[in-house]
Every structure is written in structure tokens, then in C-alpha cells.
Amino acid sequence: MNKQASFIITAVENGIGMITLNRPKVLNAINTAMVGQIVQAMEQFDRNEHVKVIVLQGTGRAFAAGADIDEMLEKNTIELELLNQFEDWDRITWVKKPIIGAVQGFALGGGFELALCCDMLLAADDAEFGFPEVGLGIMPGAGGTQRLTKLIGKTNAMKWLLTGQRFSAKQALDYGIVNSLLPAELLSEETMKLAKTISEMPPLSLRLIKEAVHKAVDLPLSEGMHAERKNFYLLFSSEDQKEGMCAFKEKRKPVFKGI
């Protein structure tokens, strides 16, 4: 890895690709270089046949407590346009493998946007979420207004975006933002258990299910159904489909190969 790799830690264990945000002294505040490293690691895991699922987590007291204000303070409109800093963020959308986020402490601003890029979220019961950008005279720019609104609806999203207030992990669960709440000391263990369960499923099924669900969010029902059917038919060309059905019939555990 290059010198900038100190912003994250990566590892692969039992089919799980792990990315840990590693700027604990600044509560894992996200700068442009860190985003680039996160996306690069995700794309490498996406191409690695030994990785079945990706886990994204923070270290220290926060998942990520927002963007790095020092990096943006003196920027002007033209500099931001030329920097095109959100290009890397957009690439996360194209990662085919499931991404599980584990949120402890704060997930604020850009940190919350990063969490919303995950396909599933587990949170410590003392975690806090929010978009404080309005109090800085700006607004979310990496998908926060869009993803939050799609998840919790216009009026709920307006409340949190316009006030900049934080909401609790329990509220995030009630809104359907997170899948489950856990004691902080069990968050990592339970996240890895979930990742292991998913990693044992046939990779092609995981890939096409994720694709179909993402289309369900953005497309009309008829178009989403069409995409689902195409993916359903495609899987009948895989060896894993034959293995899965034969194993079911023979009452044995399937051995999936990802082909």
C-alpha cells in the first residue's frame, strides 16, 4: 500500500474483506484521501474471488464523525468543481458484493453518508446519527439528502436535515436505517457472525440479489420486476444453482463455488 494507506486498515478473514477507518485521533473524520482508499479497497475486494462480503467499521470512539472541515475550509466553488470530490463516492454504488457497516459512537455528516452506502447496518446501542451540515452553512453532498429520504421519507428526512439534530440508534432502528442494535462490546462479534452467514451463500446469487434490490429503490415496479426476472433466469446458468437444488433434494449441505 502507499503512504496514504494509514487512513484505513484492511484484512481478509474467512471470506470476509474488512475495512477499518483508522483516524481515531480525529474520530475518523473523512478526508478525500480516505474516501479514495476506502473505494480502492472495496473495489479490490470486489475483484477478489476469495472475498464474499465486505465489512466497513471504525476504530476508537466513532464510526466517522463527519468530513474533515480543515480540508474544505478555504475551498471555493471552482476548486470543488475541479476537484470533483464526490466521484469516488459514486463508485461505491458499483460494488457488487454485499457491504455490511458496523457503527459505533458517532456517524455524522460524511460519516453518516458513508454508513448509508452500506447494504446493511448494525449499530451499537449508544450510536448517534445526524447531518449537522446545515449548522455550517452547507448541506450533505455525497448522497445524504437522497439516501436518507429514500429510507425514511420526505417529512422525516426534512426534520433531521433542516435542524441538524442528532438521532439515537433506537430511532435509527425504528426508521429502518439500521438492521439491529447491539451492546457496543458485541458489535464487532455479531457483525462478523452476520458476514460469515452471508459469505457462505452462493456469490452469484448475492451479486444479483443486491443488484435487483438496488433497482427496486430507483425504478418503477414494472421495470424492477423485469430486472428481477432477468437475474432469476441468469442464475439457472450457474453451477451453484444446480448444486444448491441437488443438495436440497439429497438433504446435504451445498458446496458453492461461485460459478
Side-chain angles (χ1 to χ4, degrees):
M1 286 192 171
N2 57 34
K3 292 181 180 179
Q4 294 179 335
S6 61
F7 291 138
I8 65 171
I9 299 170
T10 61
V12 177
E13 181 180 323
N14 298 323
I16 302 166
M18 292 172 283
I19 302 171
T20 303
L21 310 184
N22 190 37
R23 300 185 74 201
K25 292 182 179 179
V26 291
L27 300 179
N28 298 322
I30 298 172
N31 58 23
T32 303
M34 177 189 269
V35 174
Q37 292 161 22
I38 293 167
V39 174
Q40 184 180 37
M42 285 185 176
E43 290 176 340
Q44 288 174 348
F45 287 151
D46 214 24
R47 294 189 294 268
N48 186 337
E49 64 180 16
H50 301 295
V51 172
K52 304 300 189 298
V53 61
I54 299 167
V55 168
L56 181 64
Q57 59 191 357
T59 188
R61 296 192 296 117
F63 176 76
D68 192 330
I69 301 301
D70 290 340
E71 187 179 56
M72 297 186 291
L73 190 61
E74 302 298 328
K75 289 286 192 296
N76 62 43
T77 302
I78 301 302
E79 287 176 317
L80 290 173
E81 170 64 23
L82 294 175
L83 179 63
N84 195 16
Q85 69 189 70
F86 298 121
E87 182 180 19
D88 282 341
W89 287 85
D90 294 341
R91 286 159 55 195
I92 298 175
T93 305
W94 299 104
V95 174
K96 302 294 186 182
K97 292 174 182 176
I99 304 170
I100 302 174
V103 177
Q104 87 284 7
F106 304 112
L108 305 176
F112 191 12
E113 289 179 299
L114 184 59
L116 290 174
C117 290
C118 297
D119 299 306
M120 300 178 69
L121 279 178
L122 278 64
D125 51 19
D126 61 351
E128 292 186 57
F129 300 82
F131 284 119
E133 284 90 339
V134 66
L136 301 175
I138 57 171
M139 62 177 284
T145 63
Q146 303 304 297
R147 289 192 172 93
L148 186 66
T149 302
K150 287 177 182 293
L151 273 173
I152 70 176
K154 185 192 79 171
T155 54
N156 286 322
M158 284 287 192
K159 174 183 177 181
W160 300 111
L161 289 161
L162 296 180
T163 65
Q165 294 175 352
R166 299 178 187 179
F167 52 99
S168 68
K170 176 62 167 61
Q171 288 172 302
L173 180 68
D174 292 341
Y175 283 128
I177 295 170
V178 303
N179 294 88
S180 59
L181 301 186
L182 298 157
E185 63 272 17
L186 296 179
L187 178 63
S188 179
E189 178 184 344
E190 292 301 316
T191 300
M192 295 304 289
K193 283 183 182 179
L194 176 61
K196 184 176 185 299
T197 296
I198 294 174
S199 74
E200 293 172 350
M201 301 301 170
L204 289 173
S205 291
L206 296 178
R207 179 190 184 102
L208 295 185
I209 288 169
K210 174 173 175 172
E211 179 185 284
V213 171
H214 277 248
K215 288 184 181 298
V217 173
D218 296 322
L219 296 178
L221 178 61
S222 60
E223 293 181 40
M225 293 288 286
H226 179 69
E228 179 187 84
R229 299 280 161 77
K230 282 187 66 176
N231 287 2
F232 175 82
Y233 298 144
L234 278 173
L235 288 170
F236 277 77
S237 293
S238 70
E239 289 187 19
D240 281 350
Q241 174 265 326
K242 304 296 187 293
E243 167 65 10
M245 290 191 170
C246 287
F248 178 82
K249 187 175 180 179
E250 295 166 6
K251 294 181 173 54
R252 61 176 175 82
K253 186 175 180 178
V255 179
F256 297 121
K257 299 178 181 178
I259 55 177

